[in-house]
Amino acid sequence: SDIFRQRCEDAGYELEWLLNIGFFLEGEELELDGRIEWLRTRLEQLKRLREFKFGTETARALWQEKLDFQTEFFGRMLKQMEASRME
């Protein structure tokens, strides 16, 4: 059903987010500039995900809440990385 498919996609999205964070934090092969670019790309992806359509206002609100959290998290991390580059 559509609801089951959506829940699987949501769970996959959460797993992808956790894997991305793990890769980012533990990925020794990424230099500072690579990490900054990764963060910028992730923030752009989050902007595009805001356009996702939902059938209910509750679902949309929950989705937006998760995106807001990630946008703030990655945005702050990006600012820290950019500040590190300037030092």
Side-chain angles (χ1 to χ4, degrees):
S1 79
D2 288 340
I3 293 172
F4 178 75
R5 182 176 50 86
Q6 184 59 50
R7 286 186 180 159
C8 289
E9 288 173 4
D10 289 348
Y13 180 75
E14 292 293 328
L15 179 59
E16 176 194 4
W17 187 78
L18 290 171
L19 290 173
N20 282 335
I21 266 298
F23 167 76
F24 180 83
L25 294 175
E26 297 176 8
E28 294 178 17
E29 67 277 359
L30 281 181
E31 297 295 326
L32 181 60
D33 287 339
R35 291 174 191 261
I36 288 172
E37 185 59 34
W38 187 93
L39 287 166
R40 287 180 179 154
T41 299
R42 187 67 185 147
L43 288 167
E44 285 300 316
Q45 291 170 338
L46 291 170
K47 282 182 190 176
R48 287 191 301 275
L49 287 171
R50 290 192 178 282
E51 299 169 8
F52 197 79
K53 304 294 182 206
F54 288 92
T56 68
E57 180 59 28
T58 301
R60 187 203 63 75
L62 289 170
W63 181 255
Q64 294 298 323
E65 182 181 313
K66 290 184 182 291
L67 292 178
D68 289 344
F69 174 83
Q70 290 187 40
T71 299
E72 175 137 357
F73 179 85
F74 288 122
R76 286 182 180 202
M77 190 178 285
L78 177 60
K79 286 180 184 177
Q80 288 178 343
M81 296 283 173
E82 289 174 336
S84 295
R85 187 194 304 165
M86 292 179 187
E87 294 175 356

